[in-house]
Structures are given as C-alpha cells and as structure tokens.
Amino acid sequence: MDWKTIRKTAKPGEPAPNLIDYAAARASFSWEAARAELERLPGTGLNIAYEATDRHVYAGRGEIVALIWLGKNGERQTFTYAELARLSNRFANLLERLGIGKGDRVCALAGRIPELYATALGTLKAGAVFCPLFSAFGPEPVRIRLSKSQARVLVTTKALYERKVRHQRDDLPDLAQVLLTDGDGLVEPGVSSFHALLAEESDHRSPPRTLPEDMALLHFTSGTTGAPKGAIHVHDAVVAHRLTGRLALDLRPADIYWCTADPGWVTGVSYGIVAPLVNGATMVVDEAEFDARRWYAILEQERVNVWYTAPTAIRMLMKAGAEAARWHDLSALRFAASVGEPLNPEGVLWGRDVLSQPFHDTWWQTETGAIMIANYRSQAIRPGSMGQPLPGVEAAIIRRRPDGGIDRLSPGEEGELALRAGWPSMFRGYLNDEERYRRCFADGWYLSGDLATQDTDGYFWFVGRSDDVIKTSGHMVGPFEVENVLMEHLAVAEAGMIGKPDAFAGQIVKAFVALKPGYTASDALRKELLGFARTRLGPAVAPRELEFVADLPKTRSGKIMRRLLRARELGLPPGDLSTLENDETKED
Ligand code: ATP
Ligand code: MG
C-alpha cells in the first residue's frame, strides 16, 4: 500500500500526550483498571451523570467552567461544574416527582440550548434513559422516534412542540409530560413550563442508585444505509467515554474543548457531553449552524485546545477557502480530530497546512458507543487511515463463513471490520429488534458492517460500507478510494461513487461530483476528471461515468447517502428518507 506518514509537530510549551507509548499502553491495559478510576457508588453503583458533575464538585473542582454556551444571537453564558450538578439534580428531582424512574425514556427535541445539558444529565441521575432527537427532524421522524422509544417525557421548545408534536399527541399515549423550555407556567394539560417546575425543586439529591448494566442512553443511528435503529447503551459506557476522551482526544482537565456534533446524534452526546465532562474539561457549545467565519472566530476567541469535528464540516471549510482562516490566531489548538465518515487524505493535509493542525481521524459507530479506532496524538498519522485500535479494543478484518463462524484475514486483505465483543460502551441491544442484534455477533466478535483492510503495522483503512462496495469486472471497489482520488482534483468539493449495472462488467463505477465555487460543469471538465481518475486508479477501478450535481444527498448529520444516489440512478424506491437533510419534512 502506498502511503505517506505525517507527524503532528509539537508546539513549544505543549503538554506531553496522554498516550505516549501506544504499544505499552495496549500491553498493560485492562478495563477493570480503567473502571477502578471511577467512583463506585454505594452497592457497586455507577452513573454517567454523577461522574460528569458531582464527582468534580466533591473533589473541589466545582468552580471550574463546565460549559461555555454561545447563543446564535451573540449571547455567551457559562456554567460551572457545581452549577451543572445543581441543575441536573433539580431536573432529576422533577422527574422523580413526575413519577419517572428507572428505565423510563426521556426525550429531548431542542437545538443546542443549555436546558438540553441539564435534561441529559438529570435524566441519567434519575435512573431514566436519555434519548436525544435531532431538532431539525420533521413531524414524522419525531413521531416515529417518540413512539418507538415509548417516551414518557419530552423536553422541547414551544415552537418545536407546536410544529412537530402537538397535533400527533393522540398517537403518543405513553407521552405523559411535555416540558417547554420557553413556556411560562402551566401551558395546557400535559404540557408544563420546564423552568417553572424546575424552580420548585431542590438543588440537592442523594447519589444516584443506578448499576453499571442499567440502561442509560438510547441513540438512533444516522439512517445512512436504511431505517434508523435504536441502539441501547448502559451506564458502564462511561468507562469508555472517559478513557477515549483521554487517550484518543488527548483531553485533560480544564482544556477548552469543542465538539461540533449536535447532541441529537451519538457523537454529540458521547463526545459533546459525557467525555469532556467526565474528563473535567470546559466544553464549548455553539447554538448556531455552520459558518466558516464564525467557526474560526470561536476557535480563536475561546482559545479552543481540542477540537472534534466531522469530514462534512472539514469539506465545507475547505470549500470556503484558506483565506477565511487567515488572520485568525489558532495557536491555542493542540489537537484536532474527525469522525463520522471517511476523512479524505486531502482533509488531513489541509488541516496541517491551513490550521497548523492535521486532523486525526477516528472511527466508531452508534453501536460502539465510543471511539474504537483512532489516530493518536503521539503516533504518526497515515492520511486516509482510520488509525489503530484503542488500548482495550481488539479489532480484526474478518470474513463471515456460511456456517455462521468467521475467518480472520491477513494484512492487506479486504473484509469486514470486527471488534472482539465486551468493551463497556458496546450497545446492549437494538430497541425491539433482538434478532437483528444477534446477527451482529459471531464467535464472540461484533461485526460492524463496514469493510476495511489492516496494514502490516496495524493501521486500519476504511474501504466502504458493505452496502456501498461494488464489484466491477471481478474487482471489488470501495467508494473511499475512488472518491479520495476525485477529491484530489482542484475543482472537486465533494464526490460520491455508486455501482451501475452493466452487461459486460457486472457493474461500472459511476461518480457524482459537486464542484468548488468558481468552477463550472462542462464536458471538457468531465473528461478531464475521468482522465484524472483513470491515471491514478487504473482503468479497472476508475469511474466510467461522471455526473455533476449541485450537492450530494446527505443525512442530517452530514453523511453522503450513496443509497440515494443509487436509487435515483436506477429508478429504485429510495427507502427510508426520514434522515435525509433536504427532504420535505424538514421545517427549519
Ligand atoms: P445507519 O447505521 O442507520 O445506516 P450510520 O451507520 O451512518 O447509519 P452512525 O452510527 O452514526 O450511523 O455512523 C457510523 C458509521 O459511520 C460507521 O459504521 C462508518 O460507516 C461511518 N464512519 C464513522 N467514522 C468513520 C471514519 N472515521 N471513517 C470511515 N467511516 C466512518
Ligand atoms: Mg450504521
């Protein structure tokens, strides 16, 4: 395999990485030891929100800022660990008074507002299950998720409630209470004011009584490959949140940390709430949507040290051009990482050249609950590689056998990425779909559904989702390598690849390309791009067809939906569209 490695250069005065010797950390690692660093509550209890808040308060760190909230209209509010502990106690007390307890689902449908954080943490303290819903979902995806999760309580805003929930309340018999963060007093039966009710509660609360295997979080997957699945996580996941925050994101107490993911998705909870708080960091939350200039200003003004973002945002920053980054002092930035989709080598190098920080790719899924494979600060980055497994995680490339077993493949061979089952943040089930859950496991391994290879040094390389990989003239082709090559061309902002049926080749590669500003689609450019790809990929793998599009279809979390490109091309039914970024149910 052909790769170049790059190394993040340390700036003067930077602290040493949390993970210095990768091999030694792997060799000596045990989850029991990682778990022992957490506070066990009476009766061997464990609680994510207690670890995230009260623990710091009892250790004398209550006055450290836990949350810097930046409102979309320029407001700036801060909350200390002690304040978050009190607010979440109040919310937990309120839930208890409403008769909500162990295992009950509490959903939140709101943008990135401070109440969301008190809701998430208070729900966990009450022993209930927090289930975030992305605020830009239309009424139908909201109803489906509220109904599937059997939500008892929903925290939302007045506008979102009126537009998306109120008219379907009769279809949601389990939903006993809706709490409006901007409503005054009692609004109507079954709808109350979040703040009015919270004001009646006490700041104090005895330590939570949850156990490590109690259900804590319910996350719906992104719906990139089909209908979203509800993945169940337990309190023990916090062991992995804490460890990955420290080792993969290099987080340390009092770091200024910004995770750009919305808490409507798993990244926005695992790394936008839990991991930074359990590691004692100060997290920045921006209520506004993406805007390149605003983002650079936040990095500069808040002096962000650690930044966790996604390829879709990186591509947008690249599209906005290096000029937008110029004149911003990003010297506080110590570590930048990415997750959610394959990170093209172009993106890694662009980070290094324009932000003076290469992006470190990390791989994980809703089902894994936490980062499983990462490029660590102390390790050489191989641009285009997802990195190496976390200490405590065993990853392998496997092939499923017809008898239900698996075979491990050798370095360089392409197969399914699998993880040895048993890490703390592994999902414990798909909601109402035990059969599907069982099918994810074989011989003690969790099978991810992603195809990858491993090189002889142990780095993993993403090939594509098993649904997206195609066979052309006997060759297996993954979207990632084709799209990476197209992305290298100066004119290309985004690329997506699908297989198109062909009488001779079985399938041929068809590429869809969105151009950067300043470039115009033309036959000449199409030919140039096809030639460009052909020289680099060879005729067997290079796209035969190329179509220009204004934008590629994406999920609301920003992932390219190749299944939709495929469906459009082939005139097939598109399948579940509830997570599509631009569908007609979106109302914001
Ligand atoms: P669904 O399961 O509903 O189709 P989804 O798989 O996109 O949606 P998530 O759990 O949010 O839902 O995303 C996990 C998937 O995202 C991974 O299985 C992988 O395909 C992709 N992914 C995440 N990080 C990376 C990465 N660093 N490189 C390549 N792919 C990644
Ligand atoms: Mg998935």
Side-chain angles (χ1 to χ4, degrees):
M1 200 172 293
D2 170 35
W3 64 70
K4 304 175 193 71
T5 65
I6 61 170
R7 218 168 247 286
K8 187 185 134 30
T9 40
K11 291 183 205 155
E14 265 188 6
N18 286 339
L19 178 68
I20 296 176
D21 186 339
Y22 175 75
R26 273 193 81 77
S28 64
F29 185 84
S30 91
W31 284 112
E32 265 325 302
R35 198 171 274 120
E37 291 174 14
L38 301 175
E39 192 105 346
R40 295 317 284 258
L41 296 167
T44 67
L46 184 67
N47 186 278
I48 296 174
Y50 181 88
E51 289 298 322
T53 58
D54 303 83
R55 186 167 187 214
H56 299 295
V57 178
Y58 291 129
R61 298 189 294 268
E63 294 318 306
I64 292 178
V65 173
L67 166 62
I68 299 174
W69 179 76
L70 306 173
K72 54 183 166 207
N73 300 318
E75 314 92 307
R76 185 178 189 278
Q77 275 181 45
T78 59
F79 298 83
T80 64
Y81 273 94
E83 283 168 329
L84 267 194
R86 287 197 290 270
L87 282 170
S88 50
N89 280 348
R90 279 173 181 256
F91 189 72
N93 290 336
L94 170 60
L95 288 180
E96 204 168 286
R97 190 153 60 82
L98 295 174
I100 304 299
K102 193 167 167 157
D104 288 333
R105 260 76 91 172
V106 174
C107 288
L109 174 72
R112 292 175 291 278
I113 54 176
E115 289 87 345
L116 187 68
Y117 299 83
T119 299
L121 296 166
T123 299
L124 295 171
K125 283 186 176 180
V129 177
F130 179 64
C131 174
L133 307 179
F134 188 46
S135 60
F137 279 144
E140 184 59 10
V142 168
R143 187 190 59 75
I144 291 171
R145 286 166 179 76
L146 286 172
S147 168
K148 271 195 182 172
S149 65
Q150 297 175 290
R152 302 270 322 268
V153 172
L154 170 70
V155 174
T156 186
T157 64
K158 206 161 172 227
L160 289 171
Y161 178 64
E162 279 172 359
R163 292 216 307 274
K164 302 181 181 184
V165 184
R166 191 184 206 171
H167 64 281
Q168 19 193 19
R169 197 77 193 256
D170 287 349
D171 302 332
L172 300 166
D174 296 308
L175 186 59
Q177 267 297 336
V178 173
L179 305 175
L180 301 184
T181 55
D182 50 358
D184 294 327
L186 182 73
V187 184
E188 58 187 45
V191 183
S192 311
S193 154
F194 177 93
H195 287 287
L197 291 189
L198 222 58
E200 295 167 17
E201 300 299 333
S202 155
D203 277 346
H204 299 286
R205 191 177 163 82
S206 49
R209 287 189 295 272
T210 49
L211 297 172
E213 287 301 313
D214 284 349
M215 186 169 167
L217 299 163
L218 175 62
H219 283 298
F220 287 94
T221 59
S222 299
T224 315
T225 53
K229 301 147 273 188
I232 295 167
H233 290 281
V234 297
H235 281 276
D236 204 39
V238 70
V239 179
H241 294 145
R242 182 165 185 270
L243 184 86
T244 50
R246 199 170 70 221
L247 301 189
L249 299 181
D250 199 49
L251 272 176
R252 62 200 69 217
D255 258 344
I256 309 290
Y257 165 78
W258 186 20
C259 168
T260 61
D262 187 274
W265 308 109
V266 70
T267 305
V269 173
S270 292
Y271 295 97
I273 305 178
V274 182
L277 294 181
V278 296
N279 280 295
T282 297
M283 55 187 196
V284 173
V285 169
D286 181 25
E287 191 193 14
E289 295 310 320
F290 174 85
D291 175 89
R293 283 182 193 281
R294 181 177 169 102
W295 277 32
Y296 288 127
I298 291 173
L299 290 170
E300 175 173 12
Q301 283 159 19
E302 299 300 340
R303 304 212 45 79
V304 172
N305 309 127
V306 178
W307 192 30
Y308 198 24
T309 188
T312 183
I314 296 168
R315 287 194 299 262
M316 286 194 283
L317 289 173
M318 290 168 74
K319 204 168 166 180
E323 190 57 32
R326 199 165 298 167
W327 314 122
H328 286 285
D329 172 9
L330 306 180
S331 60
L333 199 57
R334 184 180 78 235
F335 191 75
S338 162
V339 69
E341 277 192 292
L343 176 63
N344 311 100
E346 285 306 296
V348 177
L349 302 176
W350 182 87
R352 180 195 61 183
D353 298 341
V354 176
L355 310 177
S356 307
Q357 290 295 343
F359 285 102
H360 294 73
D361 194 17
T362 66
W363 176 92
W364 59 291
Q365 309 176 305
T366 309
E367 289 86 345
T368 71
I371 296 169
M372 295 283 108
I373 295 180
N375 285 279
Y376 304 93
R377 188 175 150 217
S378 59
Q379 305 286 302
I381 299 176
R382 298 189 168 171
S385 162
M386 308 189 283
Q388 305 171 84
L390 186 83
V393 168
E394 194 185 342
I397 302 298
I398 62 101
R399 185 175 298 133
R400 301 189 196 216
R401 280 199 314 258
D403 68 2
I406 58 155
D407 291 318
R408 288 185 73 156
L409 303 184
S410 311
E413 285 187 282
E414 198 173 293
E416 188 166 355
L417 174 56
L419 305 165
R420 172 91 66 192
W423 68 96
S425 63
M426 188 177 87
F427 70 139
R428 300 296 197 268
Y430 282 130
L431 193 66
N432 309 327
D433 202 347
E434 182 56 32
E435 168 59 23
R436 183 174 203 141
Y437 181 67
R438 262 193 328 100
R439 283 203 310 267
C440 293
F441 295 89
D443 279 359
W445 291 79
Y446 164 68
L447 311 176
S448 72
D450 283 349
L451 298 185
T453 60
Q454 187 181 17
D455 66 30
T456 45
D457 296 320
Y459 282 68
F460 283 83
W461 299 76
F462 186 75
V463 172
R465 293 158 185 272
S466 45
D467 302 9
D468 291 334
V469 170
I470 70 156
K471 207 167 191 178
T472 177
S473 308
H475 300 276
M476 297 291 280
V477 182
F480 190 41
E481 63 171 329
V482 175
E483 293 163 11
N484 276 343
V485 161
L486 289 168
M487 289 285 294
E488 280 175 33
H489 193 283
L490 273 181
V492 176
E494 286 184 326
M497 178 214 96
I498 62 158
K500 186 176 169 180
D502 179 84
F504 294 105
Q507 284 182 302
I508 56 155
V509 174
K510 168 152 188 183
F512 293 82
V513 163
L515 294 173
K516 283 194 189 139
Y519 291 90
T520 321
S522 68
D523 245 6
L525 184 56
R526 186 201 330 277
K527 286 200 186 101
E528 183 181 324
L529 287 172
L530 287 172
F532 180 82
R534 205 179 161 87
T535 332
R536 282 171 174 69
L537 292 163
V541 174
R544 296 269 192 88
E545 286 184 24
L546 188 146
E547 184 176 327
F548 293 111
V549 287
D551 279 306
L552 292 169
K554 298 198 197 75
T555 63
R556 289 210 172 94
S557 50
K559 297 171 190 236
I560 296 171
M561 270 166 123
R562 294 172 192 82
R563 72 169 155 105
L564 217 69
L565 291 172
R566 211 159 36 230
R568 282 182 195 163
E569 178 69 28
L570 307 179
L572 300 172
D576 182 276
L577 285 181
S578 64
T579 51
L580 180 64
E581 191 179 37
N582 296 314
D583 74 340
E584 62 291 347
T585 57
K586 184 172 172 180
E587 294 197 348
D588 291 83

